[in-house]
Amino acid sequence: MYERTLRIELPRGQSAFLWGPRKVGKSTLLRRRFPDAPYLDLLDTRLMLQLTREPWQLSDRIRAHGPAGEAHPVILDEVQKVPAVLDEVHRLMESEGLSFVLCGSSARKLKRGRSNLLGGRAWRLTLHPLTWREVPQFDLLKALNRGLVPQHYDSPHYRRSLAGYVDDYLKEEVFAEGLARNAGAFARFFDALSFSHGELLNYSNIARDCGVSSKTVRGYFEILVDTLVGVLLEPYSRRRSRSIITRAPKFYLFDVGLAGHMAGRWVERPAGPQFGRALEHFVLMELLAYRTYSELDFPVRFWRTKSGLECDFVLGRDGGVAIEVKANANPRPKDLRPIRAFVDEHRPRLAVVVCNAAEERLTRDGIRLLPWERFLERLWGGRILR
């Protein structure tokens, strides 16, 4: 059992949506945080069908669990399964003063169906996979290969778990949206996704490989983002510059282990290109989790020039923090060229190279080389971004 960083503290009468990909631990977190709360799981087919037909039965179900609304919120798990129930939730909030935690893996179905999203009356919370600070005796190679979905990180059968997650959930999720009607094209899209992960997206090339239109491919990526399966990183440009090569984004899956499984990647040791790609992805996931849990609303972008120089992550609206991730234990001058180019053009307040070094170093021009674990200590300690 892991102690999660996300704290759910709701004032009396306050409701919340809790979103996150499947199996990241939302239900476990809610059961631990609210052990005495009425808990309705819409994965229960009988309950799901009843509330789909008769959403007003929700109040009877809540009463059957005993008094609610005073000391405990009502938990509705997998709420996207029954969008119509949100009108009844709204009524109970207004007329009876009940509070709810509405848990799910996707708000897309609710938005597309123009469901009642409670008009700003519910906070939005997000749970990520496990982070470095949440795992005692953290094992980096284990995390890079298995990922940080709790059941995958802990399981001796993680390969089967990863395969099942991709086949039974990732592919199913897009088909469930009703937009992917061509099974062959979508299977080819997933093949292309494994090669384009973490790279500049060329929708036209992917569309040509899949035998569908660029618009369809864009739709696939939008679904993956809306269902919290992945994130798009946009390029950074504070001002017009002839050196900027693209406005194309990059796509990253929400978990490093899933990305590795889809790409057929296995990291044997903490060195080399495979380790470098996995470490970059892992650092991004830590940045995104820190942004959520610290409630700091800062953009995470990347920077790339016509000559191919690329700074992995640029944080803040003003580009105040630049981060380059390197697999090397001892980055050489040529490894620092991308971040030096960014520093020369944009003058960030902090420039960091995250690497596998044993000790911290500071170059003459102020670039700080940090071992990955020390970087994470500073990130979660509020010393990178505040």
Side-chain angles (χ1 to χ4, degrees), residues 281-319:
H281 188 182
F282 167 68
V283 169
L284 173 62
M285 295 302 103
E286 293 286 314
L287 290 170
L288 297 179
Y290 174 73
R291 178 175 68 178
T292 297
Y293 298 155
S294 65
E295 299 185 27
L296 296 176
D297 184 22
F298 60 87
V300 181
R301 292 169 285 188
F302 71 95
W303 180 80
R304 183 182 175 91
T305 69
K306 287 182 179 179
S307 62
L309 296 176
E310 185 174 305
C311 183
D312 291 325
F313 308 119
V314 178
L315 313 182
R317 288 175 176 79
D318 62 349

Side-chain angles (χ1 to χ4, degrees), residues 317-334:
R317 288 175 176 79
D318 62 349
V321 177
I323 298 173
E324 182 75 9
V325 181
K326 292 296 181 185
N328 304 20
N330 184 27
R332 295 164 292 180
K334 72 174 185 177

Side-chain angles (χ1 to χ4, degrees), residues 62-78:
I62 293 171
R63 278 192 288 271
H65 283 79
E70 291 296 323
H72 311 291
V74 177
I75 311 299
L76 271 183
D77 206 350
E78 296 295 337

Side-chain angles (χ1 to χ4, degrees), residues 72-132:
H72 311 291
V74 177
I75 311 299
L76 271 183
D77 206 350
E78 296 295 337
V79 67
Q80 78 275 1
K81 295 286 185 181
V82 188
V85 82
L86 287 171
D87 285 332
E88 184 66 7
V89 167
H90 191 170
R91 185 188 71 79
L92 292 171
M93 289 169 59
E94 294 293 324
S95 64
E96 300 188 25
L98 298 186
S99 61
F100 291 80
V101 178
L102 306 161
C103 180
S105 57
S106 170
R108 182 180 176 87
K109 293 177 183 177
L110 304 182
K111 293 175 182 176
R112 287 183 62 231
R114 298 184 179 179
S115 301
N116 186 342
L117 293 177
L118 309 181
R121 293 172 178 82
W123 293 347
R124 180 189 171 100
L125 307 173
T126 304
L127 187 66
H128 294 261
L130 295 169
T131 64
W132 166 81

Side-chain angles (χ1 to χ4, degrees), residues 120-177:
R121 293 172 178 82
W123 293 347
R124 180 189 171 100
L125 307 173
T126 304
L127 187 66
H128 294 261
L130 295 169
T131 64
W132 166 81
R133 72 177 307 191
E134 294 170 336
V135 180
Q137 300 177 331
F138 184 87
D139 185 326
L140 180 60
L141 289 185
K142 180 178 175 181
L144 298 186
N145 287 315
R146 299 187 181 193
L148 285 158
V149 172
Q151 291 181 16
H152 301 169
Y153 185 80
D154 291 329
S155 174
H157 307 294
Y158 62 92
R159 292 181 189 270
R160 291 181 178 177
S161 297
L162 288 167
Y165 199 100
V166 171
D167 293 337
D168 300 333
Y169 172 50
L170 294 190
K171 296 180 180 179
E172 167 197 315
E173 190 69 37
V174 178
F175 278 105
E177 295 293 335

